[in-house]
């Protein structure tokens, strides 16, 4: 699949602001500063569709991107940034619960982790959370250009083990900088959207 059209359709903090649930949705979630915005810009071929920030914890809203007028990519706020207050963390929890409980058209969540580090406790909790909603199974290890080929294999195995990925689950190593892994990820998304349409 090639993304030829992408636009920010809606920015939301609560369900009343969500766009209609008329298109299949794939959400992206990850720790603050995992490279989510850079990856979304790389996938869509747009330099600044998603705002990239040097300071983590910037995305505090749910951003809905309409892709090829066929489906949406939903950019969920990053979790686990130490400098945000407890009230912000509580708001994040509520925002996520509202989103996952209300989006019947959400077909899968891609969880992003940094390939350089073992997944944190929060990453593991997030993956367990996705399992409860049967939205787990796709992990994207970002910043793959920062490790050697040898390290990459070792780190991918560590990520799979730490998150408890099953044999059939998918882990894709990607680099927005080197533009690798995107085609593979888009193919997985295309398959999910196509399967949804033929259901």
């Amino acid at each position: 699949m090639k993304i030829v059209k992408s636009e920010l359709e809606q920015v939301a903090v609560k369900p009343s602001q969500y766009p209609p649930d008329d298109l299949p949705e794939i959400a992206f979630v990850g720790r603050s500063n995992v490279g989510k915005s850079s990856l979304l810009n790389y996938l869509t071929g747009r330099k600044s569709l998603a705002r990239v920030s040097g300071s983590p914890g910037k995305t505090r809203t749910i951003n809905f991107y309409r892709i090829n007028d066929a489906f949406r990519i939903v950019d969920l706020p990053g979790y686990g940034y130490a400098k945000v207050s407890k009230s912000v963390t509580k708001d994040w929890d509520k925002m996520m619960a509202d989103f996952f409980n209300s989006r019947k058209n959400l077909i899968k969540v891609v969880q992003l982790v940094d390939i350089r580090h073992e997944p944190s406790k929060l990453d593991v909790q997030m993956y367990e959370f996705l399992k409860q909603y049967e939205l787990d199974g796709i992990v994207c290890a970002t910043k793959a250009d920062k490790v050697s080929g040898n390290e990459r294999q070792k780190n991918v195995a560590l990520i799979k083990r730490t998150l408890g990925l099953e044999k059939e689950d998918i882990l894709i190593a990607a680099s927005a900088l080197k533009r690798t892994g995107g085609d593979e990820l888009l193919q997985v998304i295309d398959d999910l959207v196509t399967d949804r349409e033929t259901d």
Side-chain angles (χ1 to χ4, degrees):
M1 172 180 62
K2 188 164 171 53
I3 293 178
V4 292
K5 188 180 177 191
S6 54
E7 58 188 339
L8 177 61
E9 185 177 1
Q10 190 71 38
V11 175
V13 292
K14 55 187 177 184
S16 62
Q17 298 169 332
Y18 298 166
D21 55 5
D22 55 345
L23 291 175
E25 289 175 352
I26 306 282
F28 280 60
V29 72
R31 277 180 69 93
S32 299
N33 226 17
V34 76
K36 195 150 42 73
S37 300
S38 299
L39 182 71
L40 290 175
N41 289 336
Y42 160 42
L43 293 177
T44 56
R46 300 272 302 273
K47 272 189 182 155
S48 53
L49 183 70
R51 284 214 308 273
V52 178
S53 168
S55 50
K58 267 281 186 262
T59 311
R60 300 270 176 81
T61 53
I62 298 174
N63 300 334
F64 293 83
Y65 297 98
R66 192 180 180 94
I67 309 294
N68 292 350
D69 288 328
F71 68 99
R72 289 188 193 95
I73 286 177
V74 186
D75 182 8
L76 299 173
Y79 55 85
Y81 182 50
K83 285 188 182 169
V84 300
S85 66
K86 281 195 173 138
S87 65
V88 169
T89 307
K90 211 167 105 189
D91 289 347
W92 190 94
D93 290 345
K94 181 174 177 359
M95 205 191 287
M96 290 302 93
D98 286 346
F99 176 76
F100 286 118
N101 286 323
S102 65
R103 293 312 267 179
K104 304 289 177 241
N105 53 328
L106 178 65
I107 48 179
K108 195 57 85 171
V109 177
V110 179
Q111 182 173 352
L112 274 57
V113 295
D114 188 326
I115 199 165
R116 297 170 298 176
H117 311 295
E118 181 177 358
S120 68
K121 203 154 100 177
L122 281 171
D123 289 323
V124 174
Q125 283 171 356
M126 187 72 217
Y127 199 69
E128 290 300 319
F129 179 76
L130 295 178
K131 268 186 183 168
Q132 290 170 27
Y133 287 91
E134 297 182 352
L135 293 166
D136 59 308
I138 304 176
V139 175
C140 180
T142 60
K143 309 187 183 187
D145 56 286
K146 308 282 189 199
V147 293
S148 67
N150 216 8
E151 267 185 303
R152 185 180 305 184
Q153 279 184 309
K154 203 174 70 184
N155 293 9
V156 160
L158 178 64
I159 290 166
K160 285 181 174 177
R161 203 163 56 242
T162 308
L163 293 180
L165 266 62
E166 306 284 343
K167 259 205 178 86
E168 66 275 11
D169 293 338
I170 296 165
L171 191 148
I172 296 166
S175 164
L177 188 68
K178 298 287 186 190
R179 306 184 71 73
T180 58
D183 290 345
E184 205 181 332
L185 186 52
L186 285 174
Q187 186 57 58
V188 169
I189 291 171
D190 192 24
D191 291 345
L192 286 166
V193 172
T194 305
D195 286 352
R196 177 62 169 246
E197 285 166 352
T198 53
D199 272 359

